[in-house]
Amino acid sequence: MTKGEPRVHARPNPQPETRTQVVITALNKTRRMFLNVLPILAGMLLLIGAAVALLPQHISATLFGGPALLDAFKGSAMGSIATGMPVFSYVLGKGLFDAGVGMTAVTALILSWVTVGMVQLPAESLLLGHRFALLRNAVSFALSFVTALLVSWTLGVLS
Amino acid sequence: MKPEDGKQQGRRSSRTGWWFLGVAVILQLVLTLVAPEAAAKARLVSWRLIKGIVPLLLLVFLLIFLSNLLLQDRWIRRFVGRSSGVRGYAVAALAGIISAGPIYVWYPLLQDMRSKGMKDALIAVFLYNRAVKLQWLPILVGYFGIEYTLVLSFWMVIAGLVQGLIFEIFE
């Protein structure tokens, strides 16, 4: 090759992946992710089982009855620790409401039940990062408290 | 908040995941020795949960496979990435509202989407809006009335957006 000639690449351009190769690559990626996630989900399901077995199944209305803000805080705290289908929080909330617990506390319980997950926190940390999981749960806890107050205020205005 | 590289986080979660499972198994063994009845109940609850989430987990991994196969990273960046703007919030909120099943089933898909460019604020919006449970709304209406349900759902969506904005500050 003389000095002025354009340089010829020794390596040929990479061949575009065939359809089969694309599918195999996607399958391998999914398989790797499944194997990463499997022990985390299995461990978390064992923890949830233990939490349900060990934590009290009923929240007594006598735990409430203080100032509305304190009750809302207690509702948020209890909902954060509790785990299970959201409908359980409705049943529990209705029972507490009928027993005289304020709507703000009941709403805080319902909200934190579905937005804050102390039992799921380890799995969330491992899959989405510690910082993300802690910040999300902390903000969700604070928001459950604030939102409960806003719901009560709105209902008051509407009525 | 600096998102981790997908492969880096995958390796980390794989290693730590097995340790986590080991700790959970040891706790179960301790519980069996200390409180056999509670341990039996715990195993029953776990087994019921496993049976309940298997179909949903299959669906989620099918979605992950399809996203690996069909979705281009630039599409994810466009719709739920850093410059997705209001559209990103709308997409994440709507997806959160219509998603079903337990929250932890969606972690793998969100981890995958994040590695492709989804921003943390929108992951938070998605997770918060899962609080609006469409399938349980009739029961909520039955217990607390239509007015309460509408007001609660409205504020939940607003709170989800606020959470996303808070995350924007840290990103």
Side-chain angles (χ1 to χ4, degrees), chain A residues 52-66:
Chain A
V52 170
L54 293 174
L55 291 175
Q57 295 298 296
H58 303 287
I59 297 174
S60 170
T62 54
L63 290 169
F64 297 90

Side-chain angles (χ1 to χ4, degrees), chain A residues 60-80:
Chain A
S60 170
T62 54
L63 290 169
F64 297 90
L69 286 177
L70 183 63
D71 275 0
F73 185 81
K74 284 180 189 170
S76 290
M78 286 169 191
S80 304

Side-chain angles (χ1 to χ4, degrees), chain B residues 101-116:
Chain B
I103 192 168
Y104 47 83
V105 174
W106 295 95
Y107 294 155
L109 182 66
L110 294 171
Q111 186 191 33
D112 184 52
M113 297 284 276
R114 180 204 256 169
S115 71
K116 291 179 174 137

Side-chain angles (χ1 to χ4, degrees), chain B residues 131-163:
Chain B
V132 184
K133 299 283 183 189
L134 288 181
Q135 68 272 38
W136 299 120
L137 281 186
I139 295 175
L140 193 61
V141 171
Y143 278 156
F144 297 101
I146 186 82
E147 190 180 53
Y148 176 82
T149 305
L150 287 175
V151 171
L152 180 68
S153 303
F154 169 78
W155 282 116
M156 277 200 265
V157 174
I158 299 295
L161 299 179
V162 169
Q163 190 172 52

Side-chain angles (χ1 to χ4, degrees), chain B residues 3-171:
Chain B
E4 285 186 52
D5 165 54
K7 278 184 186 171
Q8 187 190 349
Q9 196 173 5
R11 275 196 299 270
R12 187 175 64 82
S13 62
S14 172
R15 244 193 344 263
T16 330
W18 289 106
W19 279 106
F20 177 61
L21 177 59
V23 170
V25 169
I26 289 168
L27 281 175
Q28 277 287 329
L29 291 174
V30 171
L31 192 63
T32 307
L33 292 173
V34 177
E37 278 184 25
K41 188 182 174 189
R43 280 194 297 273
L44 188 67
V45 171
S46 299
W47 176 240
R48 279 185 190 153
L49 284 173
I50 290 168
K51 281 199 292 186
I53 68 161
V54 163
L56 201 62
L57 209 54
L58 288 175
L59 172 70
V60 166
F61 276 95
L62 178 67
L63 288 176
I64 292 173
F65 168 67
L66 290 175
S67 90
N68 284 330
L69 187 65
L70 305 170
L71 280 187
Q72 292 186 15
D73 292 5
R74 65 188 167 90
W75 296 347
I76 292 174
R77 284 197 296 271
R78 186 175 160 203
F79 285 101
V80 285
R82 292 192 181 281
S83 53
S84 56
V86 176
R87 180 171 54 188
Y89 274 81
V91 169
L94 198 64
I97 290 169
I98 61 173
S99 68
I103 192 168
Y104 47 83
V105 174
W106 295 95
Y107 294 155
L109 182 66
L110 294 171
Q111 186 191 33
D112 184 52
M113 297 284 276
R114 180 204 256 169
S115 71
K116 291 179 174 137
M118 184 173 184
K119 65 177 177 177
D120 280 359
L122 296 184
I123 294 176
V125 171
F126 173 89
L127 290 174
Y128 200 94
N129 276 279
R130 289 180 35 74
V132 184
K133 299 283 183 189
L134 288 181
Q135 68 272 38
W136 299 120
L137 281 186
I139 295 175
L140 193 61
V141 171
Y143 278 156
F144 297 101
I146 186 82
E147 190 180 53
Y148 176 82
T149 305
L150 287 175
V151 171
L152 180 68
S153 303
F154 169 78
W155 282 116
M156 277 200 265
V157 174
I158 299 295
L161 299 179
V162 169
Q163 190 172 52
L165 293 173
I166 292 171
F167 264 77
E168 297 270 6
I169 298 168
F170 290 90
E171 275 190 282

